[in-house]
């Protein structure tokens, strides 16, 4: 319980460093008799993997996943599923600079201070490479959600890059996979391309806001008080590398609303089921899903690895400067999009099982 | 594990409904030989209790805490500490309206749908009255933090009410307890008083943003990957009633920053210890405390109980309207301030113990 | 997580010391809409309470339970159930002797060494009085088991007192409540009465073996590998005060069996369901219930409080003698019988919910 | 949380089936800067591995362990340690018989009933092959125990094979590795050889009792009430394949003792520290270590795979017979000896960290 597990009933534990032989995870609590093989998981990893456009790191990793346990003849058995992803492109370069210097914005200093030792190669355990394991676990979570009473759809996209937001009137989920930014607004995507080119050429970086939406979640999932659905989602997203804020529904904007505007009024729908006339709540009330779309947004800070020299210190306490060469994402938020989807899937799969335990179904 | 516990090593479990005989909690994992009695805890509860100004609910509760176990001759024994707070002002009124109707913005509908039963009196388990237990547990957490290598100070305040933010150039921690809003800006506090008077008289409500700051936390607390300090804080704050967003340090504003501006550069301080030249990170890097102030903000939605009628449905599926009379806070964010402090204390106490387990000290 | 909670989904947390104001527990994970009131729980506590015969401690406790939360109009709500039992007969006597001296066989020395402080009054937290909370939680667990596909019956009895075992050919469950020893063999019960009278008058004490049997548990409950049903039962029983051994089915006798004799052969029953021709396994294979009776036995050591002086030391490190006057059970195993039943019920309720989470139903 | 993890702070999660590509575990909560490489772990695995004498299964597995994460330059980093052991000798034989028939005494029937699917090859997940992962984790636990205030020594041996017990007057720890049975009594070892030869040739099997002793554990480890050291040890041992009973210290024999004989009297030792005059308690009082040797025994049932036909049913509900050919241990208890040591080490490492969290040190 040193922090490398996530979930209560659907629970995964990850391992691995950026430049070690492999990363991966054990996924426990997977119900039996679900179809599962590598071919099902791989496409999710492919969406996150590096080197797919000039806007992301050029590290070459195929991120090929192997299932080492927990399935038999193409079906899950109820035993833990082990997923292994070998690291392939650990460049045997000189790490001299980051070996001794603390990169501002990275976890170098805190890892060194906490543990008294640090695998400095590519950030070691603190590298965003760890998120590949989350995406793999998330694929299995989607399989678990196939057991839900109705189909659950989980999608994410980038809604803001640096200061540039999407125009929600142009929102098109189908556009998301048509540009390198997972942007639902095709016009904004073009603007972002130009903007990010400038950022990249300047050796700088920029932040982003990601939105994750789950549709089809039935009313009733979530466990008050401390395992509220929104509390678990907040933790899930905040633990993604570089995330600095999480909000649900109206989020921070709710602070400026009146009680009248914030209330999601209810009527009976044509099918005899309750409907809400708005979704300020983001699909969660009292920590329990309402049946509306669950809407979560999280803010990603700009990549800390930049070409502009920054003042820092080294492990010996000497003052120095550092600039981080290498293969970095100018906007690390891009590759956080499939990770956000995966974390949503994992939280929902867990709460689906928890709800089934408590009330049957 | 149906969601009523918080923390791993310092762990509390709460119980109780708004209109039941009592609320309270069991706090487990309290180190032995810490001074603890009711007189130490009560002042924290007094800061949160209702009826202290015209801006909060007029329900009359003394919130008197009793310690039923876990101390001996004024010291903790290492055994679980049971804290009991009796409910005193459960009005024997007619609950007819909320008995059958779902109040928009409240958890009435989701509790009914999840559990098939609901203690509708005052919101039952979903009432913010539960937060008194958090505050009581938080007082014990502060005692635990007395064991830290250096003093840890935890303070919170309101930095925004409705659309009105504080002017940070006027920030004064000493002003916080000098106004009914826990506002660190005396000028803003006066403006808020006028604004909230208007809201209250209109039978409406407004949201708020709370900021919680922990000073003196040493570098090294927090457990990557999934038990990051910021992940746990996000969950902690998001589970407080009516909270819709949480951010750390620069938070959502980080999305708009460049990598250069976001990097907290480092130098050596006059005492031979590292210092940071800014605190965009909010005191946390890679999920581990940096030694800087830990800065968390959370957004509170406007109180859902308002006097303006809202459209809703009842438990029988009939469409109707509801307006919520009774004793409500026009800005529930006010009383969330001591709750935010308490949750910060609980997260830190837990991670202090976890860190001590892993590396000694 | 300092050790005062039991269970994963059906989970209770206890508090309280022998001579504090109260003991009790919070039971979390209780499914909603189960009938529950004090009248349902009280009979289970009455079976365990002291002072019921000359063979158990004469401490006078009514062990009256109060439900402080988690029910509404006689039904559980899905919120945590708080159970409070006030201590009534904490004699204001002089504790001088046990205040400073460590009683051999008791936890006095280990508590003092671990915590550096100790509530010596009646053993404080280490008193068997804590088991009343287990019995109360166990009553709720039985309610949860009412949701199982078929009725589950849990019974326990004493099968050995000191060196005297029951004759299994005379086994009669109906006899268990007809004697003060929960003995299923009426003839043995009479012999035990005479034997224990002698022990009691000699100021001595004796051990016992308890057997707990759960009938009606369907095939399939239990979670390999580390949460096996037998592993959880072993922990459950071993944590009862004074227990020194636990066995399942053939238990230690299995060491002497041949593979042929140990194999529980299978046939098809007249109702088309599998039947076993023996039950060496005690109803559990691979950590999962087989559908046969689950049979657990545990050994209870003799009460450590005796009138014969024993050599010991005091808190100052001086050598001394101690004899323990007061109101003690000459055979503490007697009152462990309802506690064993309760722990069986709690383990089964937890695994029922866990099984339902994993495979539905 | 479907049961494949063990421990709270020192926590490992295992995966893998008997005939899948690999088994292994992730060990989380390992303190940083401990020396660790494969060469340290391998000898523990070698003691457990099959094929070392004619008395154990002839399956050929080198059980070579690879560390895939969590170390850097030969030291642990505080990040999770992934241990991988490839399966090498999965015979591509016809599994026809066990594919459809339930082997009595094995988990075939319960796995099929619980999950509705079953990897029947070699018992799949329920195979004792899983215990290799425990042994590997146990090696790391020993490293953690190097941080304890004084050296902790953990040893195990077989004290009974079938009906034949060791003579404790001949006890010699140094003899344990001098015979194929881990027997501390060289005379008994010779008798057992003859006895087991007969069992093996008859195609039968026999049970055993294993004793595990930890010396050097300081007073104070263990967390009452539900995480008592003995409770955790009971669970730890009972989850080992084929174990049917666990006892501490005097164990089941305590039931026959008088209070006088059971009391471990105390005196002051020559070094000014308390000493006990006996160890009926097995080194644990009130769930907390006393500083004496911790003594645990567990009973292992005879191997269920035997050459004598047994009556059973198949997956279609037809009655049939089965005899289990193949490479099996005539006394599976032999290879449980290093597993028992490993589980003791894991429980102690966990409680060492827990104790350090609560009281420092």
């Amino acid at each position: 319980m040193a922090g490398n597990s996530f979930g209560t009933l659907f629970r995964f534990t990850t391992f691995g460093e950026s430049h070690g032989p492999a990363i991966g995870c054990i996924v426990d609590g997977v119900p039996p008799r679900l179809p599962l093989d590598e071919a099902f998981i791989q496409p999710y990893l492919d969406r996150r993997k590096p080197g797919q456009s000039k806007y992301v790191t050029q590290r070459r990793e195929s991120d090929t996943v192997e299932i080492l346990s927990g399935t038999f003849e193409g079906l899950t058995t109820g035993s833990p599923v082990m997923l292994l992803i070998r690291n392939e492109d650990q460049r045997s370069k000189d790490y001299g600079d980051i070996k001794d210097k603390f990169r501002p914005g990275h976890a170098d200093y805190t890892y060194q201070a906490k543990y008294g030792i640090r695998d400095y190669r590519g950030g070691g355990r603190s590298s965003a490479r760890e998120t590949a394991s989350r995406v793999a676990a998330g694929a299995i979570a989607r399989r678990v959600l196939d057991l839900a009473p109705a189909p659950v759809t989980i999608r994410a996209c980038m809604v803001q890059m640096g200061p540039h937001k999407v125009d929600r009137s142009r929102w098109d989920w189908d556009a998301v996979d048509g540009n390198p930014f997972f942007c639902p607004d095709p016009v904004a995507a073009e603007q972002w391309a130009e903007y990010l080119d400038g950022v990249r050429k300047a050796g700088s970086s920029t932040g982003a806001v990601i939105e994750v939406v789950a549709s089809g979640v039935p009313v009733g999932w979530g466990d008050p008080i401390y395992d509220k659905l929104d509390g678990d989602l907040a933790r899930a997203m905040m633990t993604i590398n570089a995330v600095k804020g999480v909000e649900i529904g109206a989020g921070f904007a709710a602070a400026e609303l009146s009680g009248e505007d914030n209330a999601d009024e209810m009527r009976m729908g044509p099918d005899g089921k309750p409907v809400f006339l708005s979704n300020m709540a983001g699909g969660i009330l009292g920590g329990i899903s309402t049946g509306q779309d669950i809407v979560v947004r999280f803010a990603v800070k700009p990549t800390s690895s930049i070409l502009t020299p920054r003042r820092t210190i080294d492990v010996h306490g000497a003052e120095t400067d550092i600039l981080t060469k290498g293969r970095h994402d100018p906007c690390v938020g891009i590759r956080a999009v499939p990770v956000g989807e995966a974390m949503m899937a994992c939280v929902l799969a867990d709460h689906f099982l928890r709800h089934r335990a408590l009330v049957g179904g």
Side-chain angles (χ1 to χ4, degrees), chain A:
Chain A
M1 201 153 328
N4 296 285
S5 298
F6 187 85
T8 296
L9 291 182
F10 178 86
R11 181 176 179 88
F12 63 94
T13 303
T14 75
F15 72 92
E17 287 84 35
S18 176
H19 285 58
I23 61 170
C25 58
I26 299 175
V27 187
D28 204 4
V30 184
R33 300 188 308 279
L34 298 172
L36 187 72
D37 57 15
E38 284 91 347
F40 176 77
I41 302 172
Q42 195 62 49
Y44 295 101
L45 284 164
D46 290 347
R47 288 185 84 212
R48 192 215 70 102
K49 77 177 176 190
Q52 303 197 99
S53 80
K54 65 182 173 182
Y55 304 108
V56 296
T57 172
Q58 296 306 303
R59 179 171 171 167
R60 288 286 161 192
E61 293 286 354
S62 72
D63 280 358
T64 304
V65 67
E66 294 171 68
I67 298 176
L68 294 192
S69 70
T71 62
F72 186 62
E73 299 180 343
L75 298 175
T76 60
T77 62
S79 292
V81 179
M82 165 73 197
L83 302 174
L84 190 76
I85 302 168
R86 301 202 164 273
N87 289 327
E88 296 165 353
D89 186 16
Q90 317 100 295
R91 286 198 192 168
S92 58
K93 69 173 180 182
D94 175 19
Y95 289 99
D97 226 29
I98 67 169
K99 178 176 184 300
D100 288 331
K101 295 181 183 176
F102 301 129
R103 295 168 298 167
H106 279 289
D108 301 345
Y109 170 64
T110 53
Y111 268 65
Q112 184 70 40
K114 181 179 187 73
Y115 300 114
I117 185 175
R118 165 172 72 96
D119 180 350
Y120 49 78
R121 301 168 303 163
R125 179 68 178 151
S126 71
S127 164
R129 179 142 185 74
E130 190 269 347
T131 58
S133 298
R134 301 178 186 231
V135 170
I140 300 181
R142 289 178 191 256
R143 268 293 184 241
V144 175
L145 290 171
D146 287 345
L147 297 169
V152 173
T153 304
I154 296 168
R155 293 178 291 196
C157 58
M158 188 183 290
V159 296
Q160 180 180 338
M161 178 185 286
H164 307 292
K165 301 185 181 182
V166 297
D167 179 337
R168 286 179 180 262
S169 71
R170 290 194 295 254
W171 191 288
D172 177 8
W173 277 115
D174 292 335
V176 166
D177 283 326
N179 63 75
F181 312 114
F182 302 108
C183 178
D185 170 358
V187 178
E190 290 183 34
Q191 297 164 339
W192 293 359
E194 190 175 353
Y195 170 72
L196 196 56
D197 255 338
V199 167
R200 187 172 59 86
K201 287 171 183 163
S204 185
S205 63
T206 190
V209 176
I210 312 300
E211 183 164 316
V212 190
V213 180
S215 307
V217 175
V219 60
W221 292 5
D223 273 312
I225 299 293
Y226 297 99
D227 299 347
K228 284 174 171 166
L229 196 52
D230 37 357
D232 282 5
L233 286 168
R235 177 185 165 215
M237 302 306 170
M238 192 65 95
T239 65
I240 299 173
N241 302 52
V243 172
K244 300 304 289 181
V246 182
E247 60 181 14
I248 312 283
F252 274 87
E256 307 197 11
L257 294 174
S258 69
E260 288 79 1
D261 290 339
N262 187 63
D264 298 317
E265 295 181 295
M266 300 182 76
R267 297 280 88 175
M268 294 305 293
D271 60 352
K273 292 185 182 170
V275 293
F276 291 87
L277 307 184
S278 57
N279 190 13
M280 294 298 182
I284 302 173
L285 283 173
I288 302 170
S289 60
T290 63
Q292 291 210 85
D293 279 1
I294 294 176
V295 182
V296 178
R297 273 178 304 281
F298 58 88
V300 185
K301 71 181 183 183
T303 316
S304 295
S305 297
I306 50 177
L307 287 172
T308 314
R310 297 282 89 188
R311 288 173 287 178
T312 191
I313 61 172
D314 66 20
V315 292
H316 311 294
E319 299 190 338
T320 181
D321 281 6
I322 191 165
L323 65 84
T324 316
K325 296 174 195 165
R327 305 162 297 177
H328 299 289
D329 298 274
C331 178
V332 75
I334 297 173
R335 290 170 59 216
V337 172
V339 182
E341 284 185 3
M343 295 308 289
M344 172 71 88
C346 290
V347 169
L348 292 178
D350 193 26
H351 275 285
F352 161 62
L353 296 180
R354 294 176 68 153
H355 184 68
R356 187 158 79 167
L358 196 68
V359 306

